[in-house]
Amino acid sequence: MAWLAGFGMVLGLLAIALGTASIRTGWTLPWVRRRVTRPRIHGLGALLVGASCVVQGLFYFRIVPSPSWEVRFFATNALTFSGLILIGAAHVLATRRRS
């Protein structure tokens, strides 16, 4: 199970790096670039999703003190869903603008 948490942390760090690049320079991945007209919103969503993955791994490996499971569950789900909503908003705003 540790490899799964470690892999999630690696993917979270990758999402944080991509979100930072998207916020600072406006760069997105080539297969997403066509649909996103607001890369800063997309980057902020990627940062939130990546932070959620990294925080879950930090709790799993006991690097930071772990709160109760309810707090972990609701906090990481709130980060993930708010990030996904921002990523979706960046895509919806792109399709509405082009219509």
Side-chain angles (χ1 to χ4, degrees), residues 10 17 20 23 28-32 37 44 56 59 62 64 66 73 77 80-81 87 90 92:
V10 170
T20 304
I23 288 173
T28 57
L29 292 170
W31 55 86
V32 179
T37 59
L44 183 60
Q56 287 176 7
F59 288 150
R62 292 184 176 91
V64 296
S66 180
F73 177 78
N77 280 341
T80 302
F81 289 135
I87 290 172
V92 168

Side-chain angles (χ1 to χ4, degrees), residues 13-85:
L13 291 173
L14 179 65
I16 289 172
L18 291 173
T20 304
S22 182
I23 288 173
R24 294 198 43 118
T25 64
W27 184 84
T28 57
L29 292 170
W31 55 86
V32 179
R33 190 174 301 145
R34 195 180 57 194
R35 295 183 300 246
V36 174
T37 59
R38 302 202 186 257
R40 295 189 195 280
I41 295 174
H42 187 270
L44 183 60
L47 277 176
L48 290 174
V49 170
S52 171
C53 294
V54 171
V55 166
Q56 287 176 7
L58 291 176
F59 288 150
Y60 180 79
F61 290 118
R62 292 184 176 91
I63 296 172
V64 296
S66 180
S68 68
W69 72 269
E70 293 95 354
V71 173
R72 284 184 294 168
F73 177 78
F74 288 117
T76 55
N77 280 341
L79 281 174
T80 302
F81 289 135
S82 61
L84 290 176
I85 287 170

